[in-house]
Amino acid sequence: MTQFTRRDFLAATGAAAITGPWVHTAHAAEFEFKFGTNLPATHPLSARLIEAAKAMKEQTDGKLNIRVFPNNQLGGDPAMFTQLRSGALEFFSVSGANALSSLVPKAALSGVGFAFKTYDQVWQGMDGDLGKHIRAQITGAGLVVMDRIWDNGFRQITNNVKPIANVGDLSGMKIRVPIGKLWISLFESLGAAPSGISFNEVYSALQTHVVDGQENPLAIASVARLYEVQKYCSLTNHMWDGFWILANKRAWDRMPARIQEIAAKNFNEFALLQRKDIAEMNSQLRKALEEKGMVFNAAEPVSFREKLRSSGYYANWRKEFGEEAWTLLEKAAGKLA
Ligand code: X2X
């Protein structure tokens, strides 16, 4: 079988003669890149990335075509992160306290337990000196990172055993956390029995009772249908979490400056829309999840913070992150211990 290639086409028609707007769609884009995410296409992280990619394609006359692969289609977070570093994947969104912290330990800084209390504190820190400090570490590790972090949200605990009202209720509970030292340490310090499991395995781990609970913002409990396999939802707000937009450096450097600018501008602009989506969802989803059968309660944070102080959690992480980083976190979130 003979194949009619692009070269044959150009030879047959005479490339110089080709003009007109239809030409853009007839050619492959100059930069065909993949973007992997761990969340379903309906979650604002994936949905807004798809929109951002479309805007970039339009604004570069089709030269940059980023295809978004949501829902762990390219593998779980550890696999996607490996692919990003090797160049098999060009773009990846990841929480700083998740897979990224295995390479850049300081990226976990923004995930310290019971640090941020309000979104004002979060954006002041992450769009300010704290975020700048973290991005410098990420860049130093050889990755490209966009300026604005996208929102995951304040995390809440769901489980099948009982409502978590104070820290004692977590005692010995088998709870899934993302794969990251800071997360394991947080839940161990709170007295629970955490396991690091990548997000693509969470639904089945809950369904088969490998673990009794997990913790995520309400938007994820909703779009990933965790309410089907979880009964209680306790509003702990124990950690704020966000997604850095990362690019493989060799892939990024292949693009001319003009296209890099268009890509960065759109990632950073769509970040603001995505943050708004998440704030709205997380403030409105309680009722919808209650209608699906979840039982909500508000946890009281004082006993949790007290346990973190007395267990040495804050002191240990302060040492781990160093004084400069810790001061930046406290400048944004207030004194921790
Ligand atoms: O794995 C999770 O729980 C998630 C989706 O919130 C993160 O990416 C950290």
Side-chain angles (χ1 to χ4, degrees):
M1 201 181 92
T2 55
Q3 277 189 331
F4 196 66
T5 64
R6 181 166 171 270
R7 189 179 298 153
D8 296 333
F9 173 77
L10 294 176
T13 55
I18 304 172
T19 53
W22 56 273
V23 169
H24 293 308
T25 50
H27 287 245
E30 221 168 301
F31 303 100
E32 285 281 356
F33 289 153
K34 295 181 294 306
F35 195 128
T37 85
N38 62 5
L39 292 176
T42 48
H43 185 277
L45 170 71
S46 304
R48 290 294 190 184
L49 282 172
I50 291 166
E51 287 180 24
K54 186 163 172 265
M56 290 174 208
K57 190 171 178 184
E58 282 164 12
Q59 291 164 25
T60 59
D61 293 327
K63 288 195 177 68
L64 174 59
N65 185 26
I66 300 180
R67 270 186 75 193
V68 180
F69 293 82
N71 211 19
N72 295 294
Q73 283 174 39
L74 303 178
D77 284 316
M80 284 194 281
F81 190 50
T82 302
Q83 292 165 30
L84 177 86
R85 292 184 64 194
S86 75
L89 176 63
E90 291 87 5
F91 290 94
F92 176 44
S93 51
V94 67
S95 154
N98 193 3
L100 177 58
S101 68
S102 62
L103 176 71
V104 187
K106 272 194 191 166
L109 182 60
S110 52
V112 168
F114 293 93
F116 291 115
K117 286 145 215 90
T118 66
Y119 267 121
D120 280 351
Q121 293 180 339
V122 168
W123 302 134
Q124 222 168 62
M126 299 312 283
D127 289 337
D129 292 342
L130 175 64
K132 205 166 151 190
H133 183 77
I134 296 173
R135 287 195 300 279
Q137 312 293 318
I138 299 173
T139 307
L143 295 165
V144 174
V145 58
M146 297 301 122
D147 283 345
R148 288 194 196 272
I149 192 166
W150 291 41
D151 195 15
N152 192 353
F154 281 91
R155 299 178 77 95
Q156 323 294 352
I157 299 175
T158 67
N159 79 91
N160 278 327
V161 183
K162 62 181 173 188
I164 309 297
N166 57 56
V167 74
D169 295 323
L170 264 182
S171 179
M173 183 174 283
K174 287 194 286 180
I175 185 163
R176 173 272 171 177
V177 295
I179 303 172
K181 257 173 81 177
L182 185 83
W183 251 299
I184 297 277
S185 143
L186 175 63
F187 279 86
E188 274 175 1
S189 302
L190 292 171
S195 330
I197 297 176
S198 116
F199 190 70
N200 55 335
E201 290 164 12
V202 168
Y203 186 97
S204 71
L206 294 167
Q207 194 175 35
T208 58
H209 305 287
V210 169
V211 287
D212 293 317
Q214 67 84 46
E215 44 81 60
N216 253 307
L218 298 189
I220 289 183
S222 173
V223 299
R225 307 179 77 87
L226 300 183
Y227 54 83
E228 293 174 350
V229 288
Q230 293 281 267
K231 174 89 181 155
Y232 300 103
C233 182
S234 304
L235 301 172
T236 48
N237 292 299
H238 56 273
M239 170 197 237
W240 173 80
D241 188 32
F243 294 102
W244 289 113
I245 306 295
L246 304 180
N248 171 277
K249 186 156 164 43
R250 285 184 307 281
W252 181 263
D253 287 347
R254 277 209 301 280
M255 296 191 288
R258 176 76 195 121
I259 293 185
Q260 289 177 348
E261 269 163 38
I262 291 172
K265 176 173 169 285
N266 280 288
F267 281 129
N268 291 328
E269 282 178 6
F270 277 90
L272 298 181
L273 300 176
Q274 190 267 356
R275 291 176 184 181
K276 248 170 104 184
D277 297 340
I278 293 287
E280 266 170 40
M281 278 179 94
N282 284 339
S283 68
Q284 287 166 17
L285 274 170
R286 175 175 178 162
K287 197 161 158 276
L289 290 168
E290 279 173 343
E291 280 162 11
K292 306 258 188 218
M294 291 195 96
V295 175
F296 274 71
N297 74 289
E300 159 288 305
V302 178
S303 67
F304 293 82
R305 288 208 181 92
E306 195 36 56
K307 180 103 186 199
L308 292 183
R309 268 182 214 114
S310 64
S311 67
Y313 170 86
Y314 289 121
N316 289 340
W317 282 101
R318 180 178 193 144
K319 226 189 282 152
E320 191 99 2
F321 288 124
E323 280 310 304
E324 186 191 358
W326 197 260
T327 305
L328 289 170
L329 177 63
E330 288 195 329
K331 198 180 101 191
K335 279 263 170 236
L336 292 171

